[in-house]
Amino acid sequence: MTWNNLLLEKEDGIAVLSVNRPKVLNALNEETLKELGDAFSHLENDAEVNVIILTGAGDKAFVAGADIAFMQKLTPIQAKEFARLGQTVFSKIENLKKPVIAAINGFALGGGNELSMSCDIRIASDKAKFGQPEVNLGIMAGFGGTQRLTRLVNPGIAKEILMTADMYDAQAAQRIGLVNHVVTPEELMPFAKSMAKRIAARGPVACRLTKEAVNDGLEMDLEKAFILEADLFGLVFATSDRNEGIDAFLNKRKPEFKNE
Ligand code: HXC
């Protein structure tokens, strides 16, 4: 598969997908968003891929936001459609049947921070910078940022980030829970790949249902979420991976999961 604005590499069950518009710090225009949606659908159905790492091409940016030049000419209705397109693509990533790790190599601003928040796990280089600078432009976050940030950090911190437009370094982002790990730029991809490989070696159906329990449970009251968890726990007992995993443990051997 080839796209105008994305690069894809695959190795040992791990796909590395890069947003590739380095001249504009990987800013997201309509075409790039559509390609991201297409690429994630393709990777979801690719039996060779277990875990996806999303990053930005070049050494400066993960994604520096929605493409400001592209947005300049949008009418209000087109702006709404652009926001809905981004929201739909990011929700697809959030609910993808495979784990997605963001390897944040540089600026993750506006739509770039919103994109990283749709991934399951965020790992940042110590050169990364985070923020929601939309209000600097007289506009606001529109790819899910007002909602995902509020759920990831607390509402007061989210409002500060969204209303000051301040930029935060990776350590600050880690302190507020926006990123899981901070590593050097050289360590970023090896660290992300090593985590992806550990996840890829676990029961894939179990990981998929775990993601579903976390995501869907967040939208429910606690009692209903516990019932969902128990239902999914029961469902995982219908898989051959469950027989394999438990048998491997009891016989002191490594499990060989079949994703079924
Ligand atoms: C279009 C962008 C861009 C963006 C950078 N560029 N960010 N183009 N959209 N979001 C372009 C610059 O115009 C410049 O092009 C080139 O990339 C390099 O950027 P510089 O500004 O020269 O780099 P630097 O001085 O290092 O500053 C880096 C930066 C700055 C701090 C990240 O580029 C910046 O503030 N960018 C905008 C960040 C932003 O506001 N993001 C939020 C966008 S709104 P030339 O041609 O001059 O080389 C958004 C809304 C989402 O995301 C919701 C939509 C519904």
Side-chain angles (χ1 to χ4, degrees):
M1 294 293 289
T2 52
W3 297 277
N4 291 333
N5 308 287
L6 304 175
L7 295 172
L8 176 61
E9 287 168 30
K10 287 193 285 180
E11 198 190 319
D12 299 337
I14 312 298
V16 178
L17 185 67
S18 306
V19 180
N20 184 33
R21 301 184 78 210
K23 283 192 185 139
V24 288
L25 307 186
N26 303 323
L28 301 172
N29 58 6
E30 188 180 340
E31 184 184 53
T32 309
L33 284 172
K34 286 182 175 163
E35 288 187 355
L36 273 171
D38 185 52
F40 274 99
S41 294
H42 163 78
L43 292 170
E44 186 165 52
N45 294 316
D46 185 339
E48 280 176 15
V49 172
N50 300 313
V51 178
I52 299 143
I53 298 173
L54 179 65
T55 192
D59 56 4
K60 245 185 117 175
F62 174 71
V63 165
D67 188 319
I68 298 168
F70 173 81
M71 285 192 295
Q72 189 183 28
K73 49 187 188 307
L74 296 182
T75 65
I77 293 294
Q78 289 169 334
K80 178 182 171 180
E81 282 166 2
F82 185 55
R84 290 297 292 152
L85 171 65
Q87 289 170 356
T88 304
V89 172
F90 293 7
S91 290
K92 174 189 283 221
I93 297 170
E94 185 167 53
N95 296 309
L96 206 80
K97 294 193 176 74
K98 294 178 182 174
V100 184
I101 299 173
I104 303 160
N105 51 313
F107 292 112
L109 301 176
N113 193 42
E114 293 171 306
L115 175 60
S116 83
M117 289 191 293
S118 71
C119 300
D120 298 308
I121 293 165
R122 280 156 294 286
I123 302 166
S125 129
D126 57 22
K127 292 245 172 71
K129 293 267 190 310
F130 299 81
Q132 296 287 155
E134 288 90 343
V135 292
N136 267 336
L137 303 167
I139 62 169
M140 59 179 281
F143 289 155
T146 59
Q147 306 310 308
R148 284 203 179 88
L149 192 58
T150 310
R151 285 162 172 74
L152 255 180
V153 303
N154 73 52
I157 293 176
K159 286 176 188 162
E160 180 180 328
I161 294 171
L162 289 157
M163 294 196 283
T164 62
D166 285 348
M167 254 198 247
Y168 299 80
D169 64 20
Q171 278 76 18
Q174 188 183 32
R175 252 190 325 272
I176 59 172
L178 191 52
V179 302
N180 299 31
H181 300 275
V182 180
V183 297
T184 64
E186 298 72 35
E187 283 171 321
L188 181 64
M189 286 317 289
F191 189 95
K193 283 183 180 170
S194 147
M195 184 187 282
K197 279 192 183 141
R198 289 201 304 286
I199 294 173
R202 311 304 179 221
V205 184
C207 282
R208 189 186 324 151
L209 297 183
T210 297
K211 177 167 171 170
E212 206 174 305
V214 173
N215 283 354
D216 294 357
L218 276 171
E219 306 304 321
M220 296 173 182
D221 70 52
L222 195 56
E223 254 330 293
K224 288 208 175 73
F226 285 150
I227 291 168
L228 171 70
E229 183 187 70
D231 284 346
L232 293 172
F233 186 76
L235 188 60
V236 92
F237 272 64
T239 64
S240 75
D241 283 351
R242 159 255 180 162
N243 296 334
E244 170 64 11
I246 292 179
D247 185 72
F249 176 81
L250 294 175
N251 288 297
K252 303 189 190 305
R253 62 177 177 85
K254 253 180 104 179
E256 281 178 37
F257 294 117
K258 294 206 177 80
N259 193 16
E260 56 187 36

